[in-house]
């Protein structure tokens, strides 16, 4: 009888141990099952810049309540494409309200290098026009209940990178701007006008940007005591963040290509930068 009691007690202990082990296993698996649910909402947006109809894009996480920082995106010289809409959704996943700026109006997308060059060229010649188009998009973005008007930034790709740098130097009230493989034009500005902190993500093998342009750009910002970072990525050509860049480079005969390492590194640098400005 005593032996049976001991055997029964041992069975109970073994069962308890087994159940504990199973529970521990379940607890280890639980985090993956209960990861925060995201509900990324993305939609085309029609707004106005004077009498011109603009076709932008907004994205945000609908599963999150409350206000969040606003990040505007100025696209490459092609216009508002699926690529930049995808970037807006990525920003929404990070907790931002992302708004893609239609710089050209009517949602125009260039399908040739010549048309892209012509449309983008107008804004290099007239920087205040770029700021005007940007302001129209910013005003629209701030109409969303989720928008925190005290926390605003802008990022841009190629042409868009140059534009966010110019807009910052024209005195736009932003916490910061990020240029991804953007051109580096130098336009007049002052220490008082330049409110935004700056992050430049540059490809070291970018054939569109001459070393003297980098020197002139950095010299201007240094002379103003500007708060900026200049990151360079080895082997990265122009348009290094866009997976379609390699095919487009071959199609249009231009030195652009995708670089996965630089894409990942620059996105991580942007995330770290945003943590410092927000």
């Amino acid at each position: 009888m005593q032996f049976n009691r001991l055997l029964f007690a041992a069975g109970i202990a073994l069962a308890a141990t087994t159940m504990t082990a199973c529970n521990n296993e379940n607890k280890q698996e639980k985090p993956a099952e209960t990861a925060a649910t995201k509900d990324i909402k993305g939609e085309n947006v029609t707004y106005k810049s004077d009498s011109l109809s603009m076709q932008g894009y907004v994205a945000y996480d609908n599963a999150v309540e409350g206000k969040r920082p606003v990040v505007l995106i100025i696209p490459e010289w092609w216009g508002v494409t699926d690529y930049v809409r995808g970037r807006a959704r990525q920003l929404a996943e990070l907790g931002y309200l992302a708004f893609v700026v239609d710089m050209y109006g009517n949602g125009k997308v260039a399908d040739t290098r010549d048309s892209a060059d012509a449309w983008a060229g107008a804004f290099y010649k007239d920087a205040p026009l770029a700021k005007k188009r940007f302001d129209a998009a910013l005003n629209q973005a701030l109409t969303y209940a989720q928008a925190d008007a005290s926390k605003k930034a802008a990022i841009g790709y190629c042409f868009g990178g140059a534009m966010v740098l110019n807009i910052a130097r024209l005195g736009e009230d932003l916490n910061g701007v990020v240029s991804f493989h953007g051109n580096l034009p130098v336009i007049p500005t002052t220490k008082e006008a330049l409110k935004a902190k700056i992050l430049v993500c540059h490809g070291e093998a970018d054939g569109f940007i001459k070393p003297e342009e980098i020197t002139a750009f950095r010299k201007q910002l240094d002379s103003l005591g500007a708060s900026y970072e200049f990151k360079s990525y080895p082997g990265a050509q122009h348009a290094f963040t866009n997976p379609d860049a390699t095919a487009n480079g071959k199609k249009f005969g231009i030195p652009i290509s995708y670089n996965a390492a630089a894409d990942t590194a620059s996105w991580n640098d942007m995330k770290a930068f945003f943590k410092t400005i927000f």
Side-chain angles (χ1 to χ4, degrees):
M1 180 67 71
Q2 182 66 24
F3 175 77
N4 288 339
R5 286 191 186 129
L6 291 174
L7 185 60
F8 178 74
I12 293 293
L14 179 60
T17 302
T18 303
M19 289 177 65
T20 301
C22 289
N23 286 338
N24 285 340
E25 287 175 4
N26 289 337
K27 286 177 182 177
Q28 290 171 357
E29 294 172 359
K30 198 75 171 178
E33 297 171 358
T34 60
T37 302
K38 294 183 183 297
D39 177 17
I40 304 303
K41 182 177 179 62
E43 60 185 9
N44 296 323
V45 181
T46 300
Y47 62 102
K48 291 279 188 179
S49 179
D50 291 334
S51 60
L52 187 62
S53 178
M54 318 302 285
Q55 303 294 323
Y57 183 82
V58 67
Y60 55 89
D61 187 351
N62 205 34
V64 176
E65 295 183 0
K67 295 185 180 295
R68 65 215 67 182
V70 177
V71 180
L72 270 69
I73 311 169
I74 300 184
E76 300 168 298
W77 67 350
W78 307 114
V80 182
T81 62
D82 286 341
Y83 166 69
V84 75
R85 292 188 190 96
R87 288 299 188 185
R89 295 180 69 86
Q90 284 181 286
L91 286 167
E93 290 175 356
L94 294 176
Y96 303 110
L97 184 143
F99 195 99
V100 179
V101 183
D102 178 9
M103 295 294 284
Y104 301 149
N106 296 310
K108 290 195 304 184
V109 176
D111 56 5
T112 68
R113 181 182 177 182
D114 288 343
S115 58
D117 194 20
W119 296 348
F123 295 94
Y124 284 106
K125 296 174 183 176
D126 188 354
L129 176 60
K131 186 175 182 300
K132 188 174 186 179
R133 297 284 170 85
F134 180 88
D135 285 340
L138 177 59
N139 290 337
Q140 182 66 32
L142 293 178
T143 65
Y144 287 85
Q146 298 89 346
D148 184 343
S150 69
K151 296 178 180 179
K152 306 181 295 291
I155 70 174
Y157 295 90
C158 299
F159 156 72
M163 293 303 103
V164 299
L165 294 172
N166 280 352
I167 288 165
R169 284 178 289 199
L170 288 173
E172 193 71 52
D173 186 17
L174 299 170
N175 297 78
V177 298
V178 183
S179 169
F180 292 94
H181 42 78
N183 301 97
L184 300 173
V186 174
I187 65 170
T189 188
T190 65
K191 185 175 183 178
E192 292 71 29
L194 186 56
K195 304 175 183 69
K197 294 182 179 181
I198 293 171
L199 170 63
V200 174
C201 298
H202 171 71
E204 286 187 3
D206 192 328
F208 286 98
I209 301 175
K210 299 176 182 177
E212 52 265 35
E213 292 179 274
I214 298 174
T215 300
F217 174 79
R218 299 191 68 160
K219 182 178 180 180
Q220 182 194 49
L221 295 187
D222 288 337
S223 70
L224 297 170
S227 176
Y228 79 98
E229 297 177 72
F230 195 100
K231 300 278 190 175
S232 291
Y233 309 99
Q237 289 188 307
H238 199 68
F240 62 77
T241 65
N242 191 336
D244 295 329
T246 304
N248 282 334
K250 293 177 181 177
K251 179 179 178 180
F252 297 107
I254 49 180
I256 63 176
S257 64
Y258 179 64
N259 186 304
D263 180 18
T264 300
S266 60
W267 190 254
N268 287 336
D269 286 335
M270 177 206 71
K271 290 192 290 184
F273 177 71
F274 281 169
K275 286 182 179 180
T276 67
I277 66 171
F278 291 138

